[in-house]
Amino acid sequence: MNNSHSQSYAAAGVDIEAGYKGVQLMKQHVERTMIPGVVSGIGGFGGLFAPDLAGMKEPILVSGTDGVGTKIRVAQLMDRHNTIGIDCVAMCVNDIICCGAKPLFFLDYIAIGKNDPEKVASIVSGVAEGCVQAGCALIGGETAEHPGVMNPDDYDLAGFAVGIVDKEKMLDPSMVKAGDVILSLPSNGLHSNGFSLVRKALDVEHTRLDQWSEELGRSLGDELLSPTAIYVKPVLAAMEAVQLHGVSHITGGGFYENIPRCLPKGLSAKIDKSALVIPPVFRLIQRLGDIPERDMFNTFNMGAGMVLVVDKNDADKARALLLDAGQASSVIGEVVPGDGGVELL
């Protein structure tokens, strides 16, 4: 690579040497994610991973892909890029855990207007931290410079994760039954959804993001950039001892779209709003944006980043296991006969 240089490509706006420097800077972060099964380091044409299939009767690979959405605009305005990667990992691994799968590895993709090696390394440091929290390996990725298509300071981040689960342990809506309890795992705030509405409601482009907010107990920028919680390890710990009937990651579409995804036909979810601990940022957005409550619950997680459905006789045990794994939870509702929807009381 030391001999790789194209003056013509550089004149067109693509600095391949900056890309090489970025790879060198990010290696220390990638090394933090190395787990058993990793066959290759970054830099090859493909990321290699050898999964441990011992004890599995019928292993099933589960994949998920996502980005961070327009939350990235807040990171750009704050010029703070070391947590946005956690969001990217979280949006993928929290999805595949809903099938009961353990994440194995992750790959990212960064499109950037002008390659700034330090900025790219900062973004990847967040991706690596997310992988550490999820217990998976960062085995590859790509940084693409897009001069003339993106402004020099602009970038976008996306990625995907692959996990594994034994077929007999996969979660399926058919396991859910009337009378099951619905548990909430608290969110870290907004996570990575609804930011187009957030930016409009809070007029983010014309607001001092670094200014202290008494209502939030920190600056608005700190609140908005709070990274998405990663629920993988505590949920896997609970699955080891309790039969979970369903898991839903509360992302875009909020309660109304995501909870029904783990319910079978003929059953609905009844949610007690008073049981939810709703972070102040949601009330701020609702007030300043003059947003109806139903739209809030149809866009945001409203304090419930993930919900678990368990037999009512297992609810206390599941909560104790989650707490042992460092994860708080609360009972917010139950499964009832219905048309597959969500009723908020």
Side-chain angles (χ1 to χ4, degrees), residues 311-334:
D311 186 285
K312 62 182 179 181
N313 296 317
D314 289 334
D316 289 343
K317 184 178 181 181
R319 293 189 65 199
L321 288 165
L322 289 164
L323 193 58
D324 286 344
Q327 177 64 62
S329 65
S330 60
V331 177
I332 62 166
E334 63 176 332

Side-chain angles (χ1 to χ4, degrees), residues 12-341:
V14 177
D15 187 350
I16 56 177
E17 291 180 287
Y20 300 149
K21 182 179 179 182
V23 171
Q24 291 303 314
L25 291 174
M26 69 179 68
K27 280 186 175 180
Q28 61 176 316
H29 305 298
V30 175
E31 288 172 359
R32 296 180 57 219
T33 75
M34 294 298 99
I35 61 174
V38 176
V39 176
S40 65
I42 60 172
F45 285 102
L48 308 181
F49 193 92
D52 181 4
L53 305 180
M56 288 193 173
K57 297 177 181 178
E58 193 172 353
I60 302 291
L61 293 178
V62 181
S63 60
T65 185
D66 211 335
V68 186
T70 62
K71 184 173 183 174
I72 280 181
R73 180 57 182 160
V74 181
Q76 293 169 342
L77 290 169
M78 294 285 289
D79 194 24
R80 189 189 303 172
H81 312 285
N82 63 337
T83 61
I84 206 78
I86 300 175
D87 292 289
C88 189
V89 175
M91 297 306 292
C92 297
V93 297
N94 284 345
D95 275 357
I96 67 176
I97 195 66
C98 294
C99 298
K102 173 183 172 57
L104 296 175
F105 58 83
F106 187 86
L107 283 85
D108 61 23
Y109 174 82
I110 302 168
I112 193 165
K114 181 174 177 57
N115 197 337
D116 178 336
E118 285 74 19
K119 180 187 288 187
V120 170
S122 182
I123 296 168
V124 173
S125 74
V127 176
E129 174 59 26
C131 288
V132 169
Q133 292 183 25
C136 65
L138 176 57
I139 62 171
E142 177 70 17
T143 301
E145 202 166 9
H146 289 177
V149 175
M150 304 175 75
N151 291 325
D153 291 335
D154 286 348
Y155 66 90
D156 196 13
L157 172 65
F160 77 92
V162 173
I164 194 167
V165 62
D166 205 347
K167 187 175 182 179
E168 64 182 17
K169 295 183 179 180
M170 283 182 63
L171 299 181
D172 185 270
S174 64
M175 302 168 71
V176 178
K177 63 184 187 303
D180 282 351
V181 167
I182 299 174
L183 302 179
S184 164
L185 307 188
S187 70
N188 285 345
L190 290 162
H191 286 181
S192 298
N193 302 108
F195 266 81
S196 294
L197 178 55
V198 170
R199 291 186 301 110
K200 178 182 178 182
L202 301 182
D203 193 17
V204 165
E205 296 290 333
H206 306 99
T207 298
R208 282 279 307 277
L209 296 177
D210 60 350
Q211 187 169 353
W212 178 266
S213 167
E214 289 295 335
E215 184 173 356
L216 300 175
R218 54 179 167 175
S219 73
L220 179 59
D222 286 342
E223 177 67 43
L224 298 184
L225 283 184
S226 182
T228 305
I230 293 178
Y231 301 104
V232 171
K233 291 180 179 179
V235 172
L236 286 175
M239 285 179 182
E240 287 295 318
V242 174
Q243 178 62 68
L244 299 184
H245 291 175
V247 178
S248 279
H249 184 199
I250 310 302
T251 56
F255 282 48
Y256 289 104
E257 287 189 19
N258 290 293
I259 294 178
R261 294 167 73 176
C262 75
L263 300 176
K265 187 176 181 180
L267 294 179
S268 295
K270 183 185 290 185
I271 304 295
D272 178 5
K273 289 186 294 184
S274 68
L276 291 165
V277 179
I278 301 176
V281 67
F282 293 106
R283 299 304 186 197
L284 178 67
I285 292 166
Q286 184 176 6
R287 184 178 75 250
L288 296 182
D290 191 24
I291 302 169
E293 184 180 68
R294 193 191 189 286
D295 287 358
M296 293 295 294
F297 278 92
N298 208 157
T299 306
F300 303 111
N301 66 63
M302 300 301 285
M306 181 165 280
V307 300
L308 312 183
V309 181
V310 299
D311 186 285
K312 62 182 179 181
N313 296 317
D314 289 334
D316 289 343
K317 184 178 181 181
R319 293 189 65 199
L321 288 165
L322 289 164
L323 193 58
D324 286 344
Q327 177 64 62
S329 65
S330 60
V331 177
I332 62 166
E334 63 176 332
V335 178
V336 298
D339 59 2

